[in-house]
Amino acid sequence: MATALVTGITGQDGSYLAEFLLEKGYDVIGVVRRTSHDSYERIGHMLERLTIVPADLLDQHSLTTVIGDHKPDEIYNLAAQSFVPTSWSQPVLTGEFTALGVTRLLEAVRLAHPAARFYQASSSEMFGKVRETPQREDTPFYPRSPYGVAKVYGHWITVNYRESYNMHCTSGILFNHESPRRGLEFVTRRVTDGVARIKLGMADKLTLGNLDAQRDWGFAGDYVEAMWLMLQQKEPTDFVIGTGVMHSVRDLVKIAFRHADLDWEQHVEIDESLIRPTEVESLCADASKAQRVLEWLPKMSFSELVAMMVDADIERLS
């Protein structure tokens, strides 16, 4: 039985990846912070099938110990301070987790089990003020937030360990991916939760920031398969993962309200304080390399994704 170690297992991506790996017959080890207040809500239904171990991206020794004890075949680093607005209010902490945390984990792998295959969760936010559209693996980075800057560091240190130590290290540059398990602080869940509350008579207004920002949104459950496929390749290399289709926040709002038979213009208000100091206006993936090499394609459409999230929030709040 192959063993996979997953940091960030209590998050959206970690929970979907854990389900995927369990279905593949893996022994799955989930790394959690001992001081974490994050609940096991997303992984509660499979907790008995997982091995949960304490370690922290801020603590080199704990990471080295866990990897040395379990010697996993595959390591998926999904843990990070991943909420972009928070990266402005906590830029140093974001750097410690999202940038230097990658180095600590890579160093732990190098010292304790260098034969492991390593996946780093890179982000489309690295492209930021985009140099070309759509964005592919060799598009120059121009991050527009402390989070994006930290992700660029994490990406390049992964490349550096691959080239310096001949380790099987891969970065997946994932564009926005959502699900009913997305945190309520993210704009997609902010919208679908708001729609559900208005539909159920629990609220009348939804406040949002920039409706013109455009993103390439896909389903997180589709994207974790791409992560796994990357580590099955003989030679490690980096991949862009996305749908290749852009939608604006306004599109998201319209589809969500329409699915609930509501008129969005009667309920949405703009709050200038929710607009980022520097905005990333448009992100769109060129995932042709992943389609060619990994034979990966997204399965769920944007409208299906939004409808699923609205229905899940209505059911949760009911």
Side-chain angles (χ1 to χ4, degrees):
M1 181 183 293
T3 301
L5 183 142
V6 181
T7 71
I9 196 167
T10 60
Q12 170 188 257
D13 293 7
S15 64
Y16 280 110
L17 179 62
E19 283 178 344
F20 179 87
L21 293 171
L22 287 171
E23 289 174 7
K24 290 282 184 186
Y26 279 71
D27 180 11
V28 179
I29 300 162
V31 175
V32 298
R33 298 177 65 202
R34 190 180 291 279
T35 57
S36 176
H37 297 293
D38 200 347
S39 71
Y40 292 159
E41 177 185 356
R42 296 183 180 96
I43 59 172
H45 61 289
M46 54 181 156
L47 204 50
E48 293 181 354
R49 302 168 64 196
L50 303 171
T51 301
I52 301 297
V53 297
D56 197 314
L57 287 182
L58 301 184
D59 179 43
Q60 175 77 60
H61 177 71
S62 67
L63 298 171
T64 306
T65 299
V66 164
I67 291 170
D69 287 348
H70 295 277
K71 294 207 164 25
D73 301 287
E74 298 170 8
I75 297 168
Y76 297 86
N77 183 36
L78 310 184
Q81 190 302 99
S82 60
F83 187 44
V84 175
T86 297
S87 74
W88 273 287
S89 60
Q90 298 183 352
V92 176
L93 184 66
T94 298
E96 287 286 353
F97 274 115
T98 308
L100 290 177
V102 185
T103 312
R104 295 187 188 100
L105 186 55
L106 283 165
E107 188 66 1
V109 176
R110 185 183 73 85
L111 293 171
H113 188 45
R117 297 188 171 197
F118 181 89
Y119 172 85
Q120 165 62 13
S122 288
S123 168
S124 60
E125 288 286 329
M126 301 189 305
F127 295 120
K129 190 175 181 179
V130 297
R131 306 287 85 186
E132 61 182 356
T133 300
Q135 296 88 48
R136 55 182 188 269
E137 289 79 10
D138 58 359
T139 298
F141 300 136
Y142 194 145
R144 297 270 280 173
S145 67
Y147 169 78
V149 172
K151 277 293 185 182
V152 170
Y153 178 99
H155 178 87
W156 282 118
I157 199 67
T158 302
V159 173
N160 187 258
Y161 268 69
R162 177 170 74 214
E163 296 178 350
S164 299
Y165 302 112
N166 198 32
M167 292 164 57
H168 197 294
C169 299
T170 293
S171 285
I173 307 172
L174 270 57
F175 281 62
N176 294 62
H177 45 289
E178 316 297 320
S179 76
R181 300 179 193 175
R182 189 55 137 162
L184 284 166
E185 67 272 23
F186 290 87
V187 67
T188 47
R189 272 303 297 288
R190 186 181 182 91
V191 169
T192 61
D193 175 77
V195 168
R197 290 179 184 278
I198 293 168
K199 181 68 174 178
L200 296 172
M202 301 167 67
D204 185 57
K205 297 296 181 183
L206 171 63
T207 57
L208 296 170
N210 182 10
L211 296 186
D212 296 320
Q214 297 189 84
R215 293 292 183 272
D216 180 335
W217 275 300
F219 173 47
D222 290 341
Y223 286 32
V224 297
E225 180 187 18
M227 299 178 188
W228 175 78
L229 285 168
M230 290 179 211
L231 293 198
Q232 310 317 305
Q233 305 305 304
K234 184 178 179 181
E235 297 297 328
T237 183
D238 305 323
F239 292 91
V240 161
I241 300 296
T243 69
V245 180
M246 278 197 300
H247 295 277
S248 66
V249 176
R250 184 176 279 100
D251 294 335
L252 163 68
V253 169
K254 288 180 178 179
I255 293 170
F257 275 88
R258 184 168 64 240
H259 183 70
D261 295 319
L262 296 167
D263 180 357
W264 74 274
E265 292 181 295
Q266 292 183 11
H267 301 285
V268 173
E269 294 180 344
I270 302 302
D271 182 351
E272 298 289 335
S273 70
L274 296 176
I275 298 176
R276 298 179 182 182
T278 50
E279 183 59 87
V280 176
E281 294 296 342
S282 57
L283 293 171
C284 186
D286 176 355
S288 55
K289 179 181 175 182
Q291 294 170 17
R292 184 178 70 254
V293 177
L294 305 179
E295 298 183 352
W296 177 88
L297 285 170
K299 300 178 180 68
M300 186 176 293
S301 72
F302 180 64
S303 57
E304 290 171 334
L305 171 63
V306 175
M308 176 178 69
M309 292 175 66
V310 170
D311 289 342
D313 276 326
I314 290 174
E315 181 180 351
R316 174 180 61 87
L317 292 168
S318 295

